[in-house]
Amino acid sequence: MDSFELNKIAGAVLGSLLFLMGLGIVSDAVFQHGPPKKAGYDLPAAEESAPGAATAAAAAVPLPELLAKADAKKGEGLMKACASCHSFDKGGANKVGPALYGVVNRQIGGLAGFAYSDALKTKGGPWTYAALDAFIANPKGFASGTKMAYGGEKDHTRRADMIAYMRSLADTPAPLP
Ligand code: HEC
């Protein structure tokens, strides 16, 4: 074997080494690896002890508690949305909806001179705080077929503020629950 032959072999070996190194650099760039973001294995998360318990608890603040902290002034602001259909002052006229002065503990659908839907006429019972809360939260859910075209207020503190304002619309506001 002459030196020319040896040079060719050495060249081939060096060449493939260089090629492999290059491959390593390129693959490092393509498949970035570093320390894992989170150490250890991904274990399935522990079962929530009671799914939704927290949300249910948040929604379940009892109405009397909410009313005790409610702000009638804020309620008055919120009820601007109702004023297009309802009057609030004493002796106020019925508009699209019945007059709301003295509504707390009034018979449901009971104001003379207003043409209620059958849904409210046949509901029965007085407008307790709880009934008002349920009606404002979801009018159609409370009285399916009601003609009150209002989507409902989902926030229970806002509803309590509104009920506090309605309570104030009376000569002698009804006692708080
Ligand atoms: C688009 C008009 C409209 C808006 C807005 C509206 N209401 Fe009414 N409301 C009505 C009508 C109509 C009725 C009668 C419903 C029936 O007979 O089914 C009614 C009935 C009521 C009653 C029952 C009163 C009774 O004498 O039995 C209450 C309480 C009431 N609305 C509160 C509210 C509150 C609070 C708001 C605002 C958050 C509001 N309404 C917004 C039209 C409206």
Side-chain angles (χ1 to χ4, degrees):
M1 215 190 283
D2 56 18
S3 65
F4 179 66
E5 200 81 356
L6 275 175
N7 271 345
K8 264 192 357 197
I9 294 172
V13 169
L14 270 173
S16 32
L17 277 178
L18 268 173
F19 174 74
L20 283 176
M21 266 173 64
L23 205 65
I25 290 166
V26 169
S27 76
D28 268 0
V30 172
F31 307 101
Q32 294 210 351
H33 46 77
K37 290 206 180 70
K38 229 169 50 180
Y41 299 99
D42 268 340
L43 291 176
E47 284 273 308
E48 295 263 332
S49 51
T55 25
V61 181
L63 183 61
E65 224 170 273
L66 290 169
L67 284 177
K69 289 185 289 188
D71 182 342
K73 205 85 214 123
K74 268 194 205 154
E76 182 176 8
L78 292 167
M79 280 189 59
K80 292 221 170 14
C82 324
S84 53
C85 297
H86 292 285
S87 71
F88 302 143
D89 31 62
K90 187 174 183 173
N94 295 329
K95 304 206 292 188
V96 176
L100 286 187
Y101 189 87
V103 70
V104 172
N105 288 338
R106 190 167 80 194
Q107 188 68 23
I108 294 177
L111 196 62
F114 185 82
Y116 290 96
S117 66
D118 287 342
L120 278 197
K121 256 192 299 199
T122 58
K123 186 76 186 174
W127 280 119
T128 59
Y129 293 115
L132 284 169
D133 189 50
F135 185 54
I136 299 166
N138 181 359
K140 296 210 160 32
F142 177 84
S144 146
T146 179
K147 55 179 185 174
M148 170 150 132
Y150 172 74
E153 171 57 66
K154 300 292 170 251
D155 185 299
H156 58 188
T157 21
R158 288 190 189 209
R159 289 202 304 273
D161 290 344
M162 284 150 82
I163 293 168
Y165 177 60
M166 281 190 265
R167 172 178 175 261
S168 77
L169 305 175
D171 295 345
T172 333
L176 282 172

